[in-house]
Amino acid sequence: MTDTAAPVRIERDGDVAVVVLDNPPLNLFDPATFNALENVAAELVALTDPDYLGRARAVLIEARGKVVSAGVDVTFFRDIAEGPEPVRRGADLWTRLLRVVQTFENLPVPTVFAAHGLCLTAAFELALACDILLAAEKASFGLTEIVVGLTPSLGGPQRLAERAGPARARELVFTGEWYRAEVLERWNVVNRVFPDEGFAEAAREYAHRVAAGPTVAHAATKRLVATGVREGARAADALVPEVSGSLFGTSDLRGAVASFLTDGPGKATYTGR
């Protein structure tokens, strides 16, 4: 497991790998946080590998403290802008961090982001790379990079466009405003809004519920959805024989079919194999 003192670390809760953001008081993303996030992403690849015996079958991202994150430590940007070769160093930074975001996005298990409060910039962009975004009623979100002359560059605009459409994506970025969870739920950015009271427990329960499902089938779903959104339905169709055909070789499918025929629907349990 990652260093328990790191600003981003992994804790295990049964079949769920819990990624914890803990950089008080505001959970700002600074160089140490980005380094820790990079390490966590690499560890998650190993933890979710289908051949790993103690495989995590879902990933939950949550934060400690009153806010999810108040954004990025702006001194980090100042150091790049005022240092040598700022354009090259800026490009290198985004290349590196996008690789991390894509690693989270490509994990072969369901990923759930739990936002209990204010969630700005880098944290929001990481949330948009997850499969499911859960929010407490009091949560709010923003891509506020315009205050320092930036555009969000960890994949936020394009992933917002996937969820809410290009017009809404431009609106969020152009205004730099904070948006309440209930608004973003209407815009299909947030999947579900839960009451503030008991939110952490509800998010954990949700993550455990998806972790208990047919893990290999979930991975197939992720590939088909991503391909359909980015390359079109026909491209996803072309993948179906490969990704869905292989499910007939899983013990989960065989067991679930036998359970359905013997006991009826909804009684099957899954091992993730």
Side-chain angles (χ1 to χ4, degrees), residues 76-77 79-81 84-98 150 153-154:
F76 184 32
F77 293 151
D79 293 344
I80 294 175
E85 301 185 88
V87 173
R88 179 190 62 78
R89 291 175 65 206
D92 289 347
L93 172 68
W94 301 132
T95 298
R96 172 193 168 202
L97 295 181
L98 277 169
L150 271 173
S153 299
L154 273 71

mmCIF file with all atom_site columns, all heavy atoms in Angstrom, residues 76-77 79-81 84-98 150 153-154:
data_model
loop_
_atom_site.group_PDB
_atom_site.id
_atom_site.type_symbol
_atom_site.label_atom_id
_atom_site.label_alt_id
_atom_site.label_comp_id
_atom_site.label_asym_id
_atom_site.label_entity_id
_atom_site.label_seq_id
_atom_site.pdbx_PDB_ins_code
_atom_site.Cartn_x
_atom_site.Cartn_y
_atom_site.Cartn_z
_atom_site.occupancy
_atom_site.B_iso_or_equiv
_atom_site.pdbx_formal_charge
_atom_site.auth_seq_id
_atom_site.auth_comp_id
_atom_site.auth_asym_id
_atom_site.auth_atom_id
_atom_site.pdbx_PDB_model_num
ATOM 1   N N   . PHE A 1 76  ? 2.605  26.761 -7.675  1.00 0.00 ? 76  PHE A N   1
ATOM 2   C CA  . PHE A 1 76  ? 3.140  25.763 -8.604  1.00 0.00 ? 76  PHE A CA  1
ATOM 3   C C   . PHE A 1 76  ? 3.128  26.314 -10.033 1.00 0.00 ? 76  PHE A C   1
ATOM 4   O O   . PHE A 1 76  ? 4.109  26.200 -10.776 1.00 0.00 ? 76  PHE A O   1
ATOM 5   C CB  . PHE A 1 76  ? 2.295  24.493 -8.487  1.00 0.00 ? 76  PHE A CB  1
ATOM 6   C CG  . PHE A 1 76  ? 2.769  23.327 -9.302  1.00 0.00 ? 76  PHE A CG  1
ATOM 7   C CD1 . PHE A 1 76  ? 4.105  23.106 -9.557  1.00 0.00 ? 76  PHE A CD1 1
ATOM 8   C CD2 . PHE A 1 76  ? 1.853  22.410 -9.806  1.00 0.00 ? 76  PHE A CD2 1
ATOM 9   C CE1 . PHE A 1 76  ? 4.540  22.012 -10.292 1.00 0.00 ? 76  PHE A CE1 1
ATOM 10  C CE2 . PHE A 1 76  ? 2.263  21.314 -10.539 1.00 0.00 ? 76  PHE A CE2 1
ATOM 11  C CZ  . PHE A 1 76  ? 3.608  21.125 -10.785 1.00 0.00 ? 76  PHE A CZ  1
ATOM 12  N N   . PHE A 1 77  ? 2.019  26.936 -10.426 1.00 0.00 ? 77  PHE A N   1
ATOM 13  C CA  . PHE A 1 77  ? 1.930  27.533 -11.753 1.00 0.00 ? 77  PHE A CA  1
ATOM 14  C C   . PHE A 1 77  ? 2.886  28.720 -11.894 1.00 0.00 ? 77  PHE A C   1
ATOM 15  O O   . PHE A 1 77  ? 3.478  28.935 -12.945 1.00 0.00 ? 77  PHE A O   1
ATOM 16  C CB  . PHE A 1 77  ? 0.497  27.979 -12.042 1.00 0.00 ? 77  PHE A CB  1
ATOM 17  C CG  . PHE A 1 77  ? -0.482 26.842 -12.163 1.00 0.00 ? 77  PHE A CG  1
ATOM 18  C CD1 . PHE A 1 77  ? -1.816 27.037 -11.826 1.00 0.00 ? 77  PHE A CD1 1
ATOM 19  C CD2 . PHE A 1 77  ? -0.099 25.599 -12.612 1.00 0.00 ? 77  PHE A CD2 1
ATOM 20  C CE1 . PHE A 1 77  ? -2.741 26.000 -11.936 1.00 0.00 ? 77  PHE A CE1 1
ATOM 21  C CE2 . PHE A 1 77  ? -1.002 24.551 -12.729 1.00 0.00 ? 77  PHE A CE2 1
ATOM 22  C CZ  . PHE A 1 77  ? -2.330 24.760 -12.390 1.00 0.00 ? 77  PHE A CZ  1
ATOM 23  N N   . ASP A 1 79  ? 5.749  29.119 -10.446 1.00 0.00 ? 79  ASP A N   1
ATOM 24  C CA  . ASP A 1 79  ? 7.112  28.630 -10.605 1.00 0.00 ? 79  ASP A CA  1
ATOM 25  C C   . ASP A 1 79  ? 7.381  28.182 -12.035 1.00 0.00 ? 79  ASP A C   1
ATOM 26  O O   . ASP A 1 79  ? 8.499  28.356 -12.552 1.00 0.00 ? 79  ASP A O   1
ATOM 27  C CB  . ASP A 1 79  ? 7.360  27.470 -9.632  1.00 0.00 ? 79  ASP A CB  1
ATOM 28  C CG  . ASP A 1 79  ? 7.354  27.912 -8.180  1.00 0.00 ? 79  ASP A CG  1
ATOM 29  O OD1 . ASP A 1 79  ? 7.461  29.134 -7.933  1.00 0.00 ? 79  ASP A OD1 1
ATOM 30  O OD2 . ASP A 1 79  ? 7.215  27.038 -7.295  1.00 0.00 ? 79  ASP A OD2 1
ATOM 31  N N   . ILE A 1 80  ? 6.375  27.603 -12.674 1.00 0.00 ? 80  ILE A N   1
ATOM 32  C CA  . ILE A 1 80  ? 6.548  27.195 -14.073 1.00 0.00 ? 80  ILE A CA  1
ATOM 33  C C   . ILE A 1 80  ? 6.586  28.412 -14.979 1.00 0.00 ? 80  ILE A C   1
ATOM 34  O O   . ILE A 1 80  ? 7.461  28.553 -15.839 1.00 0.00 ? 80  ILE A O   1
ATOM 35  C CB  . ILE A 1 80  ? 5.422  26.233 -14.499 1.00 0.00 ? 80  ILE A CB  1
ATOM 36  C CG1 . ILE A 1 80  ? 5.528  24.917 -13.726 1.00 0.00 ? 80  ILE A CG1 1
ATOM 37  C CG2 . ILE A 1 80  ? 5.463  25.976 -16.008 1.00 0.00 ? 80  ILE A CG2 1
ATOM 38  C CD1 . ILE A 1 80  ? 4.397  23.955 -14.002 1.00 0.00 ? 80  ILE A CD1 1
ATOM 39  N N   . ALA A 1 81  ? 5.626  29.323 -14.790 1.00 0.00 ? 81  ALA A N   1
ATOM 40  C CA  . ALA A 1 81  ? 5.508  30.488 -15.672 1.00 0.00 ? 81  ALA A CA  1
ATOM 41  C C   . ALA A 1 81  ? 6.725  31.414 -15.585 1.00 0.00 ? 81  ALA A C   1
ATOM 42  O O   . ALA A 1 81  ? 7.114  32.036 -16.582 1.00 0.00 ? 81  ALA A O   1
ATOM 43  C CB  . ALA A 1 81  ? 4.228  31.259 -15.348 1.00 0.00 ? 81  ALA A CB  1
ATOM 44  N N   . PRO A 1 84  ? 12.598 28.836 -16.212 1.00 0.00 ? 84  PRO A N   1
ATOM 45  C CA  . PRO A 1 84  ? 13.116 28.622 -17.565 1.00 0.00 ? 84  PRO A CA  1
ATOM 46  C C   . PRO A 1 84  ? 12.189 27.738 -18.399 1.00 0.00 ? 84  PRO A C   1
ATOM 47  O O   . PRO A 1 84  ? 11.537 26.841 -17.858 1.00 0.00 ? 84  PRO A O   1
ATOM 48  C CB  . PRO A 1 84  ? 14.463 27.935 -17.314 1.00 0.00 ? 84  PRO A CB  1
ATOM 49  C CG  . PRO A 1 84  ? 14.296 27.252 -15.984 1.00 0.00 ? 84  PRO A CG  1
ATOM 50  C CD  . PRO A 1 84  ? 13.404 28.159 -15.179 1.00 0.00 ? 84  PRO A CD  1
ATOM 51  N N   . GLU A 1 85  ? 12.133 28.003 -19.682 1.00 0.00 ? 85  GLU A N   1
ATOM 52  C CA  . GLU A 1 85  ? 11.364 27.200 -20.649 1.00 0.00 ? 85  GLU A CA  1
ATOM 53  C C   . GLU A 1 85  ? 9.944  26.921 -20.165 1.00 0.00 ? 85  GLU A C   1
ATOM 54  O O   . GLU A 1 85  ? 9.522  25.762 -20.054 1.00 0.00 ? 85  GLU A O   1
ATOM 55  C CB  . GLU A 1 85  ? 12.072 25.877 -20.936 1.00 0.00 ? 85  GLU A CB  1
ATOM 56  C CG  . GLU A 1 85  ? 13.476 26.026 -21.503 1.00 0.00 ? 85  GLU A CG  1
ATOM 57  C CD  . GLU A 1 85  ? 14.064 24.680 -21.886 1.00 0.00 ? 85  GLU A CD  1
ATOM 58  O OE1 . GLU A 1 85  ? 13.831 24.251 -23.037 1.00 0.00 ? 85  GLU A OE1 1
ATOM 59  O OE2 . GLU A 1 85  ? 14.714 24.062 -21.030 1.00 0.00 ? 85  GLU A OE2 1
ATOM 60  N N   . PRO A 1 86  ? 9.159  27.948 -19.871 1.00 0.00 ? 86  PRO A N   1
ATOM 61  C CA  . PRO A 1 86  ? 7.818  27.723 -19.314 1.00 0.00 ? 86  PRO A CA  1
ATOM 62  C C   . PRO A 1 86  ? 6.888  26.957 -20.252 1.00 0.00 ? 86  PRO A C   1
ATOM 63  O O   . PRO A 1 86  ? 6.066  26.162 -19.782 1.00 0.00 ? 86  PRO A O   1
ATOM 64  C CB  . PRO A 1 86  ? 7.310  29.141 -19.045 1.00 0.00 ? 86  PRO A CB  1
ATOM 65  C CG  . PRO A 1 86  ? 8.097  30.018 -19.956 1.00 0.00 ? 86  PRO A CG  1
ATOM 66  C CD  . PRO A 1 86  ? 9.454  29.381 -20.040 1.00 0.00 ? 86  PRO A CD  1
ATOM 67  N N   . VAL A 1 87  ? 7.007  27.195 -21.554 1.00 0.00 ? 87  VAL A N   1
ATOM 68  C CA  . VAL A 1 87  ? 6.106  26.512 -22.497 1.00 0.00 ? 87  VAL A CA  1
ATOM 69  C C   . VAL A 1 87  ? 6.392  25.013 -22.510 1.00 0.00 ? 87  VAL A C   1
ATOM 70  O O   . VAL A 1 87  ? 5.468  24.181 -22.431 1.00 0.00 ? 87  VAL A O   1
ATOM 71  C CB  . VAL A 1 87  ? 6.244  27.116 -23.906 1.00 0.00 ? 87  VAL A CB  1
ATOM 72  C CG1 . VAL A 1 87  ? 5.442  26.300 -24.914 1.00 0.00 ? 87  VAL A CG1 1
ATOM 73  C CG2 . VAL A 1 87  ? 5.769  28.566 -23.909 1.00 0.00 ? 87  VAL A CG2 1
ATOM 74  N N   . ARG A 1 88  ? 7.654  24.649 -22.580 1.00 0.00 ? 88  ARG A N   1
ATOM 75  C CA  . ARG A 1 88  ? 7.995  23.223 -22.590 1.00 0.00 ? 88  ARG A CA  1
ATOM 76  C C   . ARG A 1 88  ? 7.617  22.567 -21.271 1.00 0.00 ? 88  ARG A C   1
ATOM 77  O O   . ARG A 1 88  ? 7.037  21.471 -21.251 1.00 0.00 ? 88  ARG A O   1
ATOM 78  C CB  . ARG A 1 88  ? 9.488  23.029 -22.835 1.00 0.00 ? 88  ARG A CB  1
ATOM 79  C CG  . ARG A 1 88  ? 9.920  21.545 -22.840 1.00 0.00 ? 88  ARG A CG  1
ATOM 80  C CD  . ARG A 1 88  ? 11.424 21.383 -22.837 1.00 0.00 ? 88  ARG A CD  1
ATOM 81  N NE  . ARG A 1 88  ? 12.034 21.955 -21.649 1.00 0.00 ? 88  ARG A NE  1
ATOM 82  C CZ  . ARG A 1 88  ? 12.038 21.370 -20.455 1.00 0.00 ? 88  ARG A CZ  1
ATOM 83  N NH1 . ARG A 1 88  ? 11.432 20.200 -20.274 1.00 0.00 ? 88  ARG A NH1 1
ATOM 84  N NH2 . ARG A 1 88  ? 12.620 21.953 -19.428 1.00 0.00 ? 88  ARG A NH2 1
ATOM 85  N N   . ARG A 1 89  ? 7.914  23.239 -20.157 1.00 0.00 ? 89  ARG A N   1
ATOM 86  C CA  . ARG A 1 89  ? 7.603  22.662 -18.850 1.00 0.00 ? 89  ARG A CA  1
ATOM 87  C C   . ARG A 1 89  ? 6.089  22.547 -18.640 1.00 0.00 ? 89  ARG A C   1
ATOM 88  O O   . ARG A 1 89  ? 5.612  21.576 -18.046 1.00 0.00 ? 89  ARG A O   1
ATOM 89  C CB  . ARG A 1 89  ? 8.242  23.502 -17.739 1.00 0.00 ? 89  ARG A CB  1
ATOM 90  C CG  . ARG A 1 89  ? 9.752  23.411 -17.707 1.00 0.00 ? 89  ARG A CG  1
ATOM 91  C CD  . ARG A 1 89  ? 10.334 24.353 -16.677 1.00 0.00 ? 89  ARG A CD  1
ATOM 92  N NE  . ARG A 1 89  ? 9.937  23.975 -15.317 1.00 0.00 ? 89  ARG A NE  1
ATOM 93  C CZ  . ARG A 1 89  ? 9.869  24.836 -14.312 1.00 0.00 ? 89  ARG A CZ  1
ATOM 94  N NH1 . ARG A 1 89  ? 10.119 26.137 -14.516 1.00 0.00 ? 89  ARG A NH1 1
ATOM 95  N NH2 . ARG A 1 89  ? 9.534  24.422 -13.100 1.00 0.00 ? 89  ARG A NH2 1
ATOM 96  N N   . GLY A 1 90  ? 5.342  23.526 -19.144 1.00 0.00 ? 90  GLY A N   1
ATOM 97  C CA  . GLY A 1 90  ? 3.890  23.430 -19.061 1.00 0.00 ? 90  GLY A CA  1
ATOM 98  C C   . GLY A 1 90  ? 3.353  22.257 -19.859 1.00 0.00 ? 90  GLY A C   1
ATOM 99  O O   . GLY A 1 90  ? 2.496  21.506 -19.382 1.00 0.00 ? 90  GLY A O   1
ATOM 100 N N   . ALA A 1 91  ? 3.876  22.096 -21.073 1.00 0.00 ? 91  ALA A N   1
ATOM 101 C CA  . ALA A 1 91  ? 3.437  20.979 -21.911 1.00 0.00 ? 91  ALA A CA  1
ATOM 102 C C   . ALA A 1 91  ? 3.797  19.643 -21.263 1.00 0.00 ? 91  ALA A C   1
ATOM 103 O O   . ALA A 1 91  ? 2.997  18.687 -21.282 1.00 0.00 ? 91  ALA A O   1
ATOM 104 C CB  . ALA A 1 91  ? 4.069  21.087 -23.294 1.00 0.00 ? 91  ALA A CB  1
ATOM 105 N N   . ASP A 1 92  ? 4.991  19.559 -20.684 1.00 0.00 ? 92  ASP A N   1
ATOM 106 C CA  . ASP A 1 92  ? 5.406  18.323 -20.022 1.00 0.00 ? 92  ASP A CA  1
ATOM 107 C C   . ASP A 1 92  ? 4.504  18.006 -18.830 1.00 0.00 ? 92  ASP A C   1
ATOM 108 O O   . ASP A 1 92  ? 4.173  16.838 -18.578 1.00 0.00 ? 92  ASP A O   1
ATOM 109 C CB  . ASP A 1 92  ? 6.859  18.437 -19.550 1.00 0.00 ? 92  ASP A CB  1
ATOM 110 C CG  . ASP A 1 92  ? 7.858  18.415 -20.702 1.00 0.00 ? 92  ASP A CG  1
ATOM 111 O OD1 . ASP A 1 92  ? 7.454  18.069 -21.826 1.00 0.00 ? 92  ASP A OD1 1
ATOM 112 O OD2 . ASP A 1 92  ? 9.036  18.748 -20.456 1.00 0.00 ? 92  ASP A OD2 1
ATOM 113 N N   . LEU A 1 93  ? 4.114  19.047 -18.095 1.00 0.00 ? 93  LEU A N   1
ATOM 114 C CA  . LEU A 1 93  ? 3.233  18.844 -16.944 1.00 0.00 ? 93  LEU A CA  1
ATOM 115 C C   . LEU A 1 93  ? 1.908  18.244 -17.374 1.00 0.00 ? 93  LEU A C   1
ATOM 116 O O   . LEU A 1 93  ? 1.444  17.248 -16.804 1.00 0.00 ? 93  LEU A O   1
ATOM 117 C CB  . LEU A 1 93  ? 2.994  20.173 -16.229 1.00 0.00 ? 93  LEU A CB  1
ATOM 118 C CG  . LEU A 1 93  ? 1.944  20.141 -15.110 1.00 0.00 ? 93  LEU A CG  1
ATOM 119 C CD1 . LEU A 1 93  ? 2.437  19.313 -13.934 1.00 0.00 ? 93  LEU A CD1 1
ATOM 120 C CD2 . LEU A 1 93  ? 1.582  21.564 -14.670 1.00 0.00 ? 93  LEU A CD2 1
ATOM 121 N N   . TRP A 1 94  ? 1.283  18.839 -18.397 1.00 0.00 ? 94  TRP A N   1
ATOM 122 C CA  . TRP A 1 94  ? -0.026 18.345 -18.812 1.00 0.00 ? 94  TRP A CA  1
ATOM 123 C C   . TRP A 1 94  ? 0.069  16.949 -19.418 1.00 0.00 ? 94  TRP A C   1
ATOM 124 O O   . TRP A 1 94  ? -0.832 16.118 -19.225 1.00 0.00 ? 94  TRP A O   1
ATOM 125 C CB  . TRP A 1 94  ? -0.672 19.310 -19.793 1.00 0.00 ? 94  TRP A CB  1
ATOM 126 C CG  . TRP A 1 94  ? -0.876 20.689 -19.247 1.00 0.00 ? 94  TRP A CG  1
ATOM 127 C CD1 . TRP A 1 94  ? -0.548 21.867 -19.857 1.00 0.00 ? 94  TRP A CD1 1
ATOM 128 C CD2 . TRP A 1 94  ? -1.443 21.058 -17.972 1.00 0.00 ? 94  TRP A CD2 1
ATOM 129 N NE1 . TRP A 1 94  ? -0.869 22.929 -19.046 1.00 0.00 ? 94  TRP A NE1 1
ATOM 130 C CE2 . TRP A 1 94  ? -1.425 22.469 -17.886 1.00 0.00 ? 94  TRP A CE2 1
ATOM 131 C CE3 . TRP A 1 94  ? -1.961 20.331 -16.910 1.00 0.00 ? 94  TRP A CE3 1
ATOM 132 C CZ2 . TRP A 1 94  ? -1.899 23.159 -16.777 1.00 0.00 ? 94  TRP A CZ2 1
ATOM 133 C CZ3 . TRP A 1 94  ? -2.430 21.013 -15.794 1.00 0.00 ? 94  TRP A CZ3 1
ATOM 134 C CH2 . TRP A 1 94  ? -2.400 22.414 -15.739 1.00 0.00 ? 94  TRP A CH2 1
ATOM 135 N N   . THR A 1 95  ? 1.144  16.675 -20.145 1.00 0.00 ? 95  THR A N   1
ATOM 136 C CA  . THR A 1 95  ? 1.335  15.333 -20.693 1.00 0.00 ? 95  THR A CA  1
ATOM 137 C C   . THR A 1 95  ? 1.384  14.299 -19.578 1.00 0.00 ? 95  THR A C   1
ATOM 138 O O   . THR A 1 95  ? 0.730  13.248 -19.634 1.00 0.00 ? 95  THR A O   1
ATOM 139 C CB  . THR A 1 95  ? 2.628  15.270 -21.517 1.00 0.00 ? 95  THR A CB  1
ATOM 140 O OG1 . THR A 1 95  ? 2.529  16.181 -22.617 1.00 0.00 ? 95  THR A OG1 1
ATOM 141 C CG2 . THR A 1 95  ? 2.872  13.867 -22.054 1.00 0.00 ? 95  THR A CG2 1
ATOM 142 N N   . ARG A 1 96  ? 2.144  14.621 -18.552 1.00 0.00 ? 96  ARG A N   1
ATOM 143 C CA  . ARG A 1 96  ? 2.287  13.711 -17.408 1.00 0.00 ? 96  ARG A CA  1
ATOM 144 C C   . ARG A 1 96  ? 0.972  13.521 -16.677 1.00 0.00 ? 96  ARG A C   1
ATOM 145 O O   . ARG A 1 96  ? 0.565  12.383 -16.377 1.00 0.00 ? 96  ARG A O   1
ATOM 146 C CB  . ARG A 1 96  ? 3.346  14.277 -16.472 1.00 0.00 ? 96  ARG A CB  1
ATOM 147 C CG  . ARG A 1 96  ? 3.472  13.547 -15.155 1.00 0.00 ? 96  ARG A CG  1
ATOM 148 C CD  . ARG A 1 96  ? 4.310  14.371 -14.184 1.00 0.00 ? 96  ARG A CD  1
ATOM 149 N NE  . ARG A 1 96  ? 4.237  13.850 -12.833 1.00 0.00 ? 96  ARG A NE  1
ATOM 150 C CZ  . ARG A 1 96  ? 4.508  14.567 -11.748 1.00 0.00 ? 96  ARG A CZ  1
ATOM 151 N NH1 . ARG A 1 96  ? 4.854  15.834 -11.871 1.00 0.00 ? 96  ARG A NH1 1
ATOM 152 N NH2 . ARG A 1 96  ? 4.422  14.017 -10.549 1.00 0.00 ? 96  ARG A NH2 1
ATOM 153 N N   . LEU A 1 97  ? 0.266  14.609 -16.392 1.00 0.00 ? 97  LEU A N   1
ATOM 154 C CA  . LEU A 1 97  ? -0.953 14.509 -15.590 1.00 0.00 ? 97  LEU A CA  1
ATOM 155 C C   . LEU A 1 97  ? -2.107 13.895 -16.377 1.00 0.00 ? 97  LEU A C   1
ATOM 156 O O   . LEU A 1 97  ? -2.947 13.186 -15.806 1.00 0.00 ? 97  LEU A O   1
ATOM 157 C CB  . LEU A 1 97  ? -1.333 15.876 -15.043 1.00 0.00 ? 97  LEU A CB  1
ATOM 158 C CG  . LEU A 1 97  ? -0.326 16.470 -14.053 1.00 0.00 ? 97  LEU A CG  1
ATOM 159 C CD1 . LEU A 1 97  ? -0.803 17.829 -13.545 1.00 0.00 ? 97  LEU A CD1 1
ATOM 160 C CD2 . LEU A 1 97  ? -0.068 15.523 -12.888 1.00 0.00 ? 97  LEU A CD2 1
ATOM 161 N N   . LEU A 1 98  ? -2.159 14.147 -17.675 1.00 0.00 ? 98  LEU A N   1
ATOM 162 C CA  . LEU A 1 98  ? -3.192 13.496 -18.483 1.00 0.00 ? 98  LEU A CA  1
ATOM 163 C C   . LEU A 1 98  ? -2.991 11.990 -18.514 1.00 0.00 ? 98  LEU A C   1
ATOM 164 O O   . LEU A 1 98  ? -3.963 11.217 -18.534 1.00 0.00 ? 98  LEU A O   1
ATOM 165 C CB  . LEU A 1 98  ? -3.186 14.060 -19.906 1.00 0.00 ? 98  LEU A CB  1
ATOM 166 C CG  . LEU A 1 98  ? -3.946 15.368 -20.091 1.00 0.00 ? 98  LEU A CG  1
ATOM 167 C CD1 . LEU A 1 98  ? -3.650 15.955 -21.468 1.00 0.00 ? 98  LEU A CD1 1
ATOM 168 C CD2 . LEU A 1 98  ? -5.444 15.155 -19.922 1.00 0.00 ? 98  LEU A CD2 1
ATOM 169 N N   . LEU A 1 150 ? -5.765 30.232 -17.260 1.00 0.00 ? 150 LEU A N   1
ATOM 170 C CA  . LEU A 1 150 ? -5.618 28.894 -17.825 1.00 0.00 ? 150 LEU A CA  1
ATOM 171 C C   . LEU A 1 150 ? -6.951 28.366 -18.324 1.00 0.00 ? 150 LEU A C   1
ATOM 172 O O   . LEU A 1 150 ? -8.015 28.890 -17.972 1.00 0.00 ? 150 LEU A O   1
ATOM 173 C CB  . LEU A 1 150 ? -5.106 27.926 -16.759 1.00 0.00 ? 150 LEU A CB  1
ATOM 174 C CG  . LEU A 1 150 ? -3.598 27.753 -16.579 1.00 0.00 ? 150 LEU A CG  1
ATOM 175 C CD1 . LEU A 1 150 ? -3.319 26.885 -15.363 1.00 0.00 ? 150 LEU A CD1 1
ATOM 176 C CD2 . LEU A 1 150 ? -2.965 27.130 -17.820 1.00 0.00 ? 150 LEU A CD2 1
ATOM 177 N N   . SER A 1 153 ? -6.857 21.592 -17.940 1.00 0.00 ? 153 SER A N   1
ATOM 178 C CA  . SER A 1 153 ? -6.009 20.824 -18.846 1.00 0.00 ? 153 SER A CA  1
ATOM 179 C C   . SER A 1 153 ? -5.731 19.402 -18.380 1.00 0.00 ? 153 SER A C   1
ATOM 180 O O   . SER A 1 153 ? -4.823 18.749 -18.884 1.00 0.00 ? 153 SER A O   1
ATOM 181 C CB  . SER A 1 153 ? -4.687 21.574 -19.066 1.00 0.00 ? 153 SER A CB  1
ATOM 182 O OG  . SER A 1 153 ? -4.938 22.835 -19.663 1.00 0.00 ? 153 SER A OG  1
ATOM 183 N N   . LEU A 1 154 ? -6.521 18.918 -17.427 1.00 0.00 ? 154 LEU A N   1
ATOM 184 C CA  . LEU A 1 154 ? -6.463 17.513 -17.039 1.00 0.00 ? 154 LEU A CA  1
ATOM 185 C C   . LEU A 1 154 ? -7.643 16.750 -17.636 1.00 0.00 ? 154 LEU A C   1
ATOM 186 O O   . LEU A 1 154 ? -8.122 15.775 -17.080 1.00 0.00 ? 154 LEU A O   1
ATOM 187 C CB  . LEU A 1 154 ? -6.464 17.356 -15.512 1.00 0.00 ? 154 LEU A CB  1
ATOM 188 C CG  . LEU A 1 154 ? -5.121 17.422 -14.802 1.00 0.00 ? 154 LEU A CG  1
ATOM 189 C CD1 . LEU A 1 154 ? -4.576 18.844 -14.817 1.00 0.00 ? 154 LEU A CD1 1
ATOM 190 C CD2 . LEU A 1 154 ? -5.252 16.933 -13.363 1.00 0.00 ? 154 LEU A CD2 1
#
